[in-house]
mmCIF file of all heavy atoms in Angstrom:
data_model
loop_
_atom_site.group_PDB
_atom_site.id
_atom_site.type_symbol
_atom_site.label_atom_id
_atom_site.label_comp_id
_atom_site.label_asym_id
_atom_site.label_seq_id
_atom_site.Cartn_x
_atom_site.Cartn_y
_atom_site.Cartn_z
ATOM 1 N N LEU X 64 13.799 -10.861 1.810
ATOM 2 C CA LEU X 64 14.883 -11.226 2.756
ATOM 3 C C LEU X 64 15.679 -10.011 3.128
ATOM 4 O O LEU X 64 16.346 -9.958 4.165
ATOM 5 C CB LEU X 64 15.803 -12.311 2.203
ATOM 6 C CG LEU X 64 15.068 -13.652 1.918
ATOM 7 C CD1 LEU X 64 16.013 -14.591 1.233
ATOM 8 C CD2 LEU X 64 14.493 -14.243 3.202
ATOM 9 N N VAL X 65 15.711 -9.023 2.239
ATOM 10 C CA VAL X 65 16.540 -7.819 2.466
ATOM 11 C C VAL X 65 15.803 -6.724 3.245
ATOM 12 O O VAL X 65 16.379 -6.046 4.056
ATOM 13 C CB VAL X 65 16.970 -7.243 1.068
ATOM 14 C CG1 VAL X 65 17.804 -5.999 1.253
ATOM 15 C CG2 VAL X 65 17.824 -8.305 0.336
ATOM 16 N N ASP X 66 14.493 -6.576 2.934
ATOM 17 C CA ASP X 66 13.733 -5.518 3.554
ATOM 18 C C ASP X 66 12.358 -6.032 3.970
ATOM 19 O O ASP X 66 11.557 -6.428 3.069
ATOM 20 C CB ASP X 66 13.598 -4.341 2.572
ATOM 21 C CG ASP X 66 12.874 -3.154 3.178
ATOM 22 O OD1 ASP X 66 12.294 -3.250 4.279
ATOM 23 O OD2 ASP X 66 12.961 -2.063 2.540
ATOM 24 N N PRO X 67 12.039 -6.082 5.243
ATOM 25 C CA PRO X 67 10.779 -6.645 5.680
ATOM 26 C C PRO X 67 9.548 -5.806 5.295
ATOM 27 O O PRO X 67 8.408 -6.218 5.457
ATOM 28 C CB PRO X 67 10.956 -6.735 7.216
ATOM 29 C CG PRO X 67 11.963 -5.705 7.541
ATOM 30 C CD PRO X 67 12.861 -5.645 6.365
ATOM 31 N N CYS X 68 9.812 -4.598 4.746
ATOM 32 C CA CYS X 68 8.687 -3.763 4.329
ATOM 33 C C CYS X 68 8.417 -3.866 2.836
ATOM 34 O O CYS X 68 7.587 -3.153 2.305
ATOM 35 C CB CYS X 68 8.970 -2.299 4.695
ATOM 36 S SG CYS X 68 8.990 -2.060 6.468
ATOM 37 N N LEU X 69 9.092 -4.820 2.164
ATOM 38 C CA LEU X 69 8.821 -5.104 0.788
ATOM 39 C C LEU X 69 8.280 -6.514 0.662
ATOM 40 O O LEU X 69 8.956 -7.469 1.121
ATOM 41 C CB LEU X 69 10.110 -4.932 -0.080
ATOM 42 C CG LEU X 69 9.996 -5.302 -1.565
ATOM 43 C CD1 LEU X 69 9.036 -4.351 -2.271
ATOM 44 C CD2 LEU X 69 11.378 -5.260 -2.224
ATOM 45 N N PHE X 70 7.106 -6.646 0.084
ATOM 46 C CA PHE X 70 6.472 -7.923 -0.055
ATOM 47 C C PHE X 70 6.387 -8.267 -1.567
ATOM 48 O O PHE X 70 6.122 -7.366 -2.405
ATOM 49 C CB PHE X 70 5.062 -7.921 0.543
ATOM 50 C CG PHE X 70 5.117 -7.820 2.063
ATOM 51 C CD1 PHE X 70 5.224 -6.633 2.637
ATOM 52 C CD2 PHE X 70 4.963 -8.940 2.843
ATOM 53 C CE1 PHE X 70 5.256 -6.499 3.986
ATOM 54 C CE2 PHE X 70 5.013 -8.834 4.221
ATOM 55 C CZ PHE X 70 5.139 -7.592 4.810
ATOM 56 N N ALA X 71 6.548 -9.557 -1.916
ATOM 57 C CA ALA X 71 6.523 -9.921 -3.324
ATOM 58 C C ALA X 71 5.621 -11.161 -3.468
ATOM 59 O O ALA X 71 5.599 -12.052 -2.579
ATOM 60 C CB ALA X 71 7.936 -10.257 -3.801
ATOM 61 N N GLY X 72 4.923 -11.246 -4.644
ATOM 62 C CA GLY X 72 4.181 -12.394 -4.972
ATOM 63 C C GLY X 72 4.491 -12.634 -6.462
ATOM 64 O O GLY X 72 5.388 -12.082 -7.033
ATOM 65 N N THR X 73 3.636 -13.413 -7.112
ATOM 66 C CA THR X 73 3.767 -13.664 -8.525
ATOM 67 C C THR X 73 3.233 -12.472 -9.307
ATOM 68 O O THR X 73 2.059 -12.169 -9.251
ATOM 69 C CB THR X 73 3.039 -14.949 -8.940
ATOM 70 O OG1 THR X 73 3.497 -16.027 -8.177
ATOM 71 C CG2 THR X 73 3.267 -15.258 -10.414
ATOM 72 N N ASN X 74 4.143 -11.710 -9.954
ATOM 73 C CA ASN X 74 3.788 -10.506 -10.721
ATOM 74 C C ASN X 74 3.137 -9.400 -9.890
ATOM 75 O O ASN X 74 2.374 -8.646 -10.396
ATOM 76 C CB ASN X 74 2.843 -10.888 -11.913
ATOM 77 C CG ASN X 74 3.577 -11.754 -12.912
ATOM 78 O OD1 ASN X 74 4.787 -11.711 -13.060
ATOM 79 N ND2 ASN X 74 2.815 -12.633 -13.540
ATOM 80 N N ILE X 75 3.536 -9.358 -8.589
ATOM 81 C CA ILE X 75 2.996 -8.220 -7.778
ATOM 82 C C ILE X 75 3.977 -7.917 -6.671
ATOM 83 O O ILE X 75 4.555 -8.860 -6.085
ATOM 84 C CB ILE X 75 1.586 -8.513 -7.233
ATOM 85 C CG1 ILE X 75 1.025 -7.273 -6.538
ATOM 86 C CG2 ILE X 75 1.601 -9.727 -6.314
ATOM 87 C CD1 ILE X 75 -0.467 -7.367 -6.277
ATOM 88 N N TYR X 76 4.187 -6.632 -6.343
ATOM 89 C CA TYR X 76 5.084 -6.218 -5.307
ATOM 90 C C TYR X 76 4.374 -5.148 -4.477
ATOM 91 O O TYR X 76 3.663 -4.318 -5.038
ATOM 92 C CB TYR X 76 6.365 -5.587 -5.883
ATOM 93 C CG TYR X 76 7.127 -6.578 -6.743
ATOM 94 C CD1 TYR X 76 6.953 -6.707 -8.085
ATOM 95 C CD2 TYR X 76 8.072 -7.477 -6.103
ATOM 96 C CE1 TYR X 76 7.613 -7.590 -8.840
ATOM 97 C CE2 TYR X 76 8.792 -8.395 -6.883
ATOM 98 C CZ TYR X 76 8.541 -8.472 -8.255
ATOM 99 O OH TYR X 76 9.182 -9.364 -8.997
ATOM 100 N N VAL X 77 4.604 -5.132 -3.159
ATOM 101 C CA VAL X 77 3.995 -4.192 -2.260
ATOM 102 C C VAL X 77 5.104 -3.585 -1.384
ATOM 103 O O VAL X 77 5.787 -4.321 -0.696
ATOM 104 C CB VAL X 77 2.877 -4.816 -1.402
ATOM 105 C CG1 VAL X 77 2.283 -3.792 -0.409
ATOM 106 C CG2 VAL X 77 1.832 -5.456 -2.245
ATOM 107 N N GLY X 78 5.262 -2.269 -1.431
ATOM 108 C CA GLY X 78 6.133 -1.545 -0.532
ATOM 109 C C GLY X 78 5.319 -0.928 0.566
ATOM 110 O O GLY X 78 4.257 -0.343 0.261
ATOM 111 N N VAL X 79 5.714 -1.077 1.787
ATOM 112 C CA VAL X 79 4.967 -0.568 2.928
ATOM 113 C C VAL X 79 5.758 0.509 3.657
ATOM 114 O O VAL X 79 6.861 0.305 3.980
ATOM 115 C CB VAL X 79 4.673 -1.734 3.894
ATOM 116 C CG1 VAL X 79 3.897 -1.240 5.119
ATOM 117 C CG2 VAL X 79 3.924 -2.865 3.227
ATOM 118 N N ASN X 80 5.097 1.634 3.921
ATOM 119 C CA ASN X 80 5.631 2.671 4.719
ATOM 120 C C ASN X 80 4.528 3.058 5.691
ATOM 121 O O ASN X 80 3.573 3.795 5.389
ATOM 122 C CB ASN X 80 6.034 3.932 3.920
ATOM 123 C CG ASN X 80 6.601 4.966 4.785
ATOM 124 O OD1 ASN X 80 7.403 4.709 5.661
ATOM 125 N ND2 ASN X 80 6.201 6.217 4.569
ATOM 126 N N VAL X 81 4.488 2.501 6.915
ATOM 127 C CA VAL X 81 3.574 2.679 7.976
ATOM 128 C C VAL X 81 2.188 2.277 7.412
ATOM 129 O O VAL X 81 1.876 1.097 7.395
ATOM 130 C CB VAL X 81 3.587 4.085 8.580
ATOM 131 C CG1 VAL X 81 2.668 4.156 9.799
ATOM 132 C CG2 VAL X 81 4.947 4.507 8.949
ATOM 133 N N ASP X 82 1.365 3.237 7.072
ATOM 134 C CA ASP X 82 0.041 2.902 6.590
ATOM 135 C C ASP X 82 -0.182 3.176 5.087
ATOM 136 O O ASP X 82 -1.287 3.057 4.574
ATOM 137 C CB ASP X 82 -1.046 3.699 7.362
ATOM 138 C CG ASP X 82 -0.915 5.159 7.221
ATOM 139 O OD1 ASP X 82 0.085 5.641 6.601
ATOM 140 O OD2 ASP X 82 -1.790 5.917 7.695
ATOM 141 N N ASP X 83 0.895 3.496 4.371
ATOM 142 C CA ASP X 83 0.855 3.678 2.929
ATOM 143 C C ASP X 83 1.414 2.431 2.220
ATOM 144 O O ASP X 83 2.519 1.963 2.550
ATOM 145 C CB ASP X 83 1.665 4.852 2.510
ATOM 146 C CG ASP X 83 1.059 6.143 2.943
ATOM 147 O OD1 ASP X 83 -0.221 6.268 2.910
ATOM 148 O OD2 ASP X 83 1.785 7.117 3.357
ATOM 149 N N LEU X 84 0.670 1.915 1.286
ATOM 150 C CA LEU X 84 1.119 0.739 0.507
ATOM 151 C C LEU X 84 1.340 1.202 -0.900
ATOM 152 O O LEU X 84 0.439 1.790 -1.518
ATOM 153 C CB LEU X 84 0.093 -0.338 0.576
ATOM 154 C CG LEU X 84 -0.440 -0.779 1.984
ATOM 155 C CD1 LEU X 84 -1.478 -1.861 1.846
ATOM 156 C CD2 LEU X 84 0.720 -1.264 2.824
ATOM 157 N N PHE X 85 2.470 0.905 -1.432
ATOM 158 C CA PHE X 85 2.786 1.178 -2.846
ATOM 159 C C PHE X 85 2.768 -0.116 -3.564
ATOM 160 O O PHE X 85 3.600 -1.041 -3.359
ATOM 161 C CB PHE X 85 4.089 1.921 -2.962
ATOM 162 C CG PHE X 85 4.401 2.351 -4.351
ATOM 163 C CD1 PHE X 85 3.776 3.455 -4.865
ATOM 164 C CD2 PHE X 85 5.344 1.674 -5.120
ATOM 165 C CE1 PHE X 85 4.000 3.896 -6.183
ATOM 166 C CE2 PHE X 85 5.601 2.164 -6.414
ATOM 167 C CZ PHE X 85 4.934 3.265 -6.938
ATOM 168 N N ILE X 86 1.751 -0.354 -4.454
ATOM 169 C CA ILE X 86 1.516 -1.629 -5.086
ATOM 170 C C ILE X 86 1.914 -1.573 -6.539
ATOM 171 O O ILE X 86 1.419 -0.635 -7.255
ATOM 172 C CB ILE X 86 0.080 -2.055 -4.939
ATOM 173 C CG1 ILE X 86 -0.333 -2.027 -3.449
ATOM 174 C CG2 ILE X 86 -0.113 -3.500 -5.504
ATOM 175 C CD1 ILE X 86 -1.832 -2.272 -3.230
ATOM 176 N N MET X 87 2.757 -2.479 -7.003
ATOM 177 C CA MET X 87 3.211 -2.493 -8.375
ATOM 178 C C MET X 87 2.979 -3.902 -8.948
ATOM 179 O O MET X 87 3.120 -4.858 -8.207
ATOM 180 C CB MET X 87 4.665 -2.148 -8.510
ATOM 181 C CG MET X 87 5.056 -0.788 -7.940
ATOM 182 S SD MET X 87 6.764 -0.655 -7.544
ATOM 183 C CE MET X 87 6.879 -1.571 -6.041
ATOM 184 N N GLY X 88 2.682 -3.970 -10.180
ATOM 185 C CA GLY X 88 2.584 -5.297 -10.823
ATOM 186 C C GLY X 88 1.457 -5.393 -11.841
ATOM 187 O O GLY X 88 0.992 -4.360 -12.353
ATOM 188 N N ASP X 89 0.990 -6.609 -12.042
ATOM 189 C CA ASP X 89 -0.076 -6.843 -12.983
ATOM 190 C C ASP X 89 -1.385 -6.185 -12.486
ATOM 191 O O ASP X 89 -1.730 -6.355 -11.326
ATOM 192 C CB ASP X 89 -0.261 -8.399 -13.082
ATOM 193 C CG ASP X 89 -1.410 -8.788 -14.010
ATOM 194 O OD1 ASP X 89 -1.277 -8.493 -15.227
ATOM 195 O OD2 ASP X 89 -2.381 -9.356 -13.480
ATOM 196 N N SER X 90 -2.081 -5.516 -13.386
ATOM 197 C CA SER X 90 -3.218 -4.703 -12.940
ATOM 198 C C SER X 90 -4.332 -5.538 -12.406
ATOM 199 O O SER X 90 -5.020 -5.129 -11.418
ATOM 200 C CB SER X 90 -3.762 -3.876 -14.101
ATOM 201 O OG SER X 90 -4.150 -4.696 -15.211
ATOM 202 N N THR X 91 -4.577 -6.771 -12.828
ATOM 203 C CA THR X 91 -5.655 -7.615 -12.278
ATOM 204 C C THR X 91 -5.243 -8.098 -10.890
ATOM 205 O O THR X 91 -6.080 -8.140 -9.954
ATOM 206 C CB THR X 91 -5.931 -8.819 -13.161
ATOM 207 O OG1 THR X 91 -4.742 -9.551 -13.394
ATOM 208 C CG2 THR X 91 -6.546 -8.431 -14.501
ATOM 209 N N LYS X 92 -3.972 -8.418 -10.671
ATOM 210 C CA LYS X 92 -3.499 -8.815 -9.322
ATOM 211 C C LYS X 92 -3.561 -7.609 -8.390
ATOM 212 O O LYS X 92 -3.930 -7.826 -7.188
ATOM 213 C CB LYS X 92 -2.102 -9.355 -9.416
ATOM 214 C CG LYS X 92 -2.058 -10.661 -10.176
ATOM 215 C CD LYS X 92 -0.872 -11.490 -9.798
ATOM 216 C CE LYS X 92 -0.950 -12.784 -10.571
ATOM 217 N NZ LYS X 92 -0.560 -13.916 -9.819
ATOM 218 N N ILE X 93 -3.254 -6.427 -8.829
ATOM 219 C CA ILE X 93 -3.362 -5.213 -8.051
ATOM 220 C C ILE X 93 -4.743 -5.024 -7.517
ATOM 221 O O ILE X 93 -5.038 -4.827 -6.352
ATOM 222 C CB ILE X 93 -2.821 -4.010 -8.734
ATOM 223 C CG1 ILE X 93 -1.316 -4.064 -8.932
ATOM 224 C CG2 ILE X 93 -3.233 -2.734 -7.989
ATOM 225 C CD1 ILE X 93 -0.732 -2.978 -9.775
ATOM 226 N N GLN X 94 -5.723 -5.112 -8.508
ATOM 227 C CA GLN X 94 -7.170 -4.951 -8.153
ATOM 228 C C GLN X 94 -7.594 -5.989 -7.164
ATOM 229 O O GLN X 94 -8.342 -5.702 -6.235
ATOM 230 C CB GLN X 94 -7.977 -4.907 -9.396
ATOM 231 C CG GLN X 94 -9.423 -4.486 -9.119
ATOM 232 C CD GLN X 94 -9.507 -3.125 -8.471
ATOM 233 O OE1 GLN X 94 -8.932 -2.113 -8.971
ATOM 234 N NE2 GLN X 94 -10.190 -3.032 -7.321
ATOM 235 N N HIS X 95 -7.170 -7.236 -7.370
ATOM 236 C CA HIS X 95 -7.560 -8.294 -6.466
ATOM 237 C C HIS X 95 -7.054 -8.033 -5.037
ATOM 238 O O HIS X 95 -7.761 -8.216 -4.083
ATOM 239 C CB HIS X 95 -7.002 -9.672 -6.961
ATOM 240 C CG HIS X 95 -7.195 -10.783 -6.017
ATOM 241 N ND1 HIS X 95 -8.432 -11.429 -5.808
ATOM 242 C CD2 HIS X 95 -6.372 -11.408 -5.120
ATOM 243 C CE1 HIS X 95 -8.287 -12.334 -4.872
ATOM 244 N NE2 HIS X 95 -7.097 -12.293 -4.477
ATOM 245 N N LEU X 96 -5.799 -7.552 -4.969
ATOM 246 C CA LEU X 96 -5.192 -7.276 -3.643
ATOM 247 C C LEU X 96 -5.919 -6.093 -2.987
ATOM 248 O O LEU X 96 -6.201 -6.172 -1.806
ATOM 249 C CB LEU X 96 -3.694 -6.979 -3.759
ATOM 250 C CG LEU X 96 -2.994 -6.658 -2.469
ATOM 251 C CD1 LEU X 96 -3.086 -7.819 -1.456
ATOM 252 C CD2 LEU X 96 -1.582 -6.254 -2.696
ATOM 253 N N ILE X 97 -6.209 -5.082 -3.744
ATOM 254 C CA ILE X 97 -6.935 -3.940 -3.217
ATOM 255 C C ILE X 97 -8.359 -4.388 -2.691
ATOM 256 O O ILE X 97 -8.782 -3.908 -1.612
ATOM 257 C CB ILE X 97 -7.057 -2.769 -4.246
ATOM 258 C CG1 ILE X 97 -5.684 -2.178 -4.436
ATOM 259 C CG2 ILE X 97 -8.083 -1.747 -3.770
ATOM 260 C CD1 ILE X 97 -5.642 -1.119 -5.590
ATOM 261 N N ASP X 98 -9.006 -5.227 -3.460
ATOM 262 C CA ASP X 98 -10.310 -5.760 -3.018
ATOM 263 C C ASP X 98 -10.186 -6.536 -1.703
ATOM 264 O O ASP X 98 -11.023 -6.382 -0.763
ATOM 265 C CB ASP X 98 -10.970 -6.592 -4.094
ATOM 266 C CG ASP X 98 -11.351 -5.833 -5.363
ATOM 267 O OD1 ASP X 98 -11.483 -4.562 -5.230
ATOM 268 O OD2 ASP X 98 -11.521 -6.461 -6.394
ATOM 269 N N ALA X 99 -9.139 -7.371 -1.626
ATOM 270 C CA ALA X 99 -8.902 -8.160 -0.404
ATOM 271 C C ALA X 99 -8.616 -7.294 0.776
ATOM 272 O O ALA X 99 -9.085 -7.494 1.897
ATOM 273 C CB ALA X 99 -7.770 -9.170 -0.671
ATOM 274 N N LEU X 100 -7.751 -6.233 0.582
ATOM 275 C CA LEU X 100 -7.441 -5.319 1.657
ATOM 276 C C LEU X 100 -8.620 -4.530 2.120
ATOM 277 O O LEU X 100 -8.823 -4.300 3.302
ATOM 278 C CB LEU X 100 -6.335 -4.365 1.219
ATOM 279 C CG LEU X 100 -4.943 -4.973 1.016
ATOM 280 C CD1 LEU X 100 -3.997 -3.932 0.358
ATOM 281 C CD2 LEU X 100 -4.321 -5.394 2.344
ATOM 282 N N SER X 101 -9.483 -4.144 1.182
ATOM 283 C CA SER X 101 -10.675 -3.359 1.558
ATOM 284 C C SER X 101 -11.675 -4.184 2.365
ATOM 285 O O SER X 101 -12.522 -3.645 3.045
ATOM 286 C CB SER X 101 -11.299 -2.714 0.337
ATOM 287 O OG SER X 101 -11.776 -3.715 -0.526
ATOM 288 N N GLN X 102 -11.548 -5.514 2.239
ATOM 289 C CA GLN X 102 -12.416 -6.387 3.077
ATOM 290 C C GLN X 102 -11.955 -6.388 4.514
ATOM 291 O O GLN X 102 -12.723 -6.628 5.445
ATOM 292 C CB GLN X 102 -12.395 -7.852 2.538
ATOM 293 C CG GLN X 102 -12.969 -8.015 1.184
ATOM 294 C CD GLN X 102 -14.438 -7.686 1.131
ATOM 295 O OE1 GLN X 102 -15.202 -8.101 1.974
ATOM 296 N NE2 GLN X 102 -14.827 -6.904 0.153
ATOM 297 N N CYS X 103 -10.659 -6.120 4.771
ATOM 298 C CA CYS X 103 -10.114 -6.131 6.102
ATOM 299 C C CYS X 103 -9.957 -4.747 6.745
ATOM 300 O O CYS X 103 -10.082 -4.659 7.964
ATOM 301 C CB CYS X 103 -8.683 -6.755 6.047
ATOM 302 S SG CYS X 103 -8.610 -8.429 5.385
ATOM 303 N N TYR X 104 -9.683 -3.737 5.963
ATOM 304 C CA TYR X 104 -9.402 -2.396 6.442
ATOM 305 C C TYR X 104 -10.110 -1.356 5.643
ATOM 306 O O TYR X 104 -10.266 -1.557 4.425
ATOM 307 C CB TYR X 104 -7.896 -2.137 6.445
ATOM 308 C CG TYR X 104 -7.053 -3.248 6.867
ATOM 309 C CD1 TYR X 104 -6.254 -3.948 5.904
ATOM 310 C CD2 TYR X 104 -6.970 -3.671 8.181
ATOM 311 C CE1 TYR X 104 -5.406 -5.009 6.283
ATOM 312 C CE2 TYR X 104 -6.152 -4.724 8.537
ATOM 313 C CZ TYR X 104 -5.376 -5.388 7.572
ATOM 314 O OH TYR X 104 -4.607 -6.472 8.011
ATOM 315 N N PRO X 105 -10.419 -0.212 6.251
ATOM 316 C CA PRO X 105 -10.879 0.908 5.409
ATOM 317 C C PRO X 105 -9.689 1.488 4.663
ATOM 318 O O PRO X 105 -8.687 1.909 5.259
ATOM 319 C CB PRO X 105 -11.491 1.883 6.450
ATOM 320 C CG PRO X 105 -10.812 1.541 7.696
ATOM 321 C CD PRO X 105 -10.468 0.113 7.649
ATOM 322 N N ILE X 106 -9.750 1.540 3.360
ATOM 323 C CA ILE X 106 -8.578 2.024 2.624
ATOM 324 C C ILE X 106 -9.069 3.162 1.710
ATOM 325 O O ILE X 106 -10.186 3.307 1.283
ATOM 326 C CB ILE X 106 -7.906 0.921 1.767
ATOM 327 C CG1 ILE X 106 -8.873 0.338 0.735
ATOM 328 C CG2 ILE X 106 -7.395 -0.162 2.643
ATOM 329 C CD1 ILE X 106 -8.199 -0.572 -0.272
ATOM 330 N N LYS X 107 -8.079 4.057 1.425
ATOM 331 C CA LYS X 107 -8.281 5.139 0.468
ATOM 332 C C LYS X 107 -7.329 4.820 -0.672
ATOM 333 O O LYS X 107 -6.101 4.799 -0.479
ATOM 334 C CB LYS X 107 -7.960 6.484 1.078
ATOM 335 C CG LYS X 107 -8.950 6.928 2.129
ATOM 336 C CD LYS X 107 -8.613 8.268 2.627
ATOM 337 C CE LYS X 107 -7.770 8.099 3.879
ATOM 338 N NZ LYS X 107 -7.389 9.343 4.512
ATOM 339 N N LYS X 108 -7.892 4.596 -1.847
ATOM 340 C CA LYS X 108 -7.060 4.393 -3.013
ATOM 341 C C LYS X 108 -6.726 5.698 -3.599
ATOM 342 O O LYS X 108 -7.526 6.541 -3.919
ATOM 343 C CB LYS X 108 -7.861 3.509 -4.047
ATOM 344 C CG LYS X 108 -7.045 3.102 -5.199
ATOM 345 C CD LYS X 108 -7.899 2.200 -6.091
ATOM 346 C CE LYS X 108 -7.177 1.935 -7.377
ATOM 347 N NZ LYS X 108 -7.926 1.197 -8.365
#
Side-chain angles (χ1 to χ4, degrees):
L64 297 174
V65 177
D66 186 345
C68 294
L69 176 64
F70 292 82
T73 306
N74 295 329
I75 188 165
Y76 300 91
V77 179
V79 179
N80 181 44
V81 187
D82 61 354
D83 290 323
L84 309 178
F85 187 74
I86 307 170
M87 302 159 283
D89 178 64
S90 58
T91 56
K92 293 202 178 219
I93 291 173
Q94 191 55 54
H95 173 77
L96 180 61
I97 290 173
D98 292 342
L100 289 170
S101 63
Q102 296 296 313
C103 301
Y104 318 109
I106 62 170
K107 291 183 265 181
K108 186 177 173 186

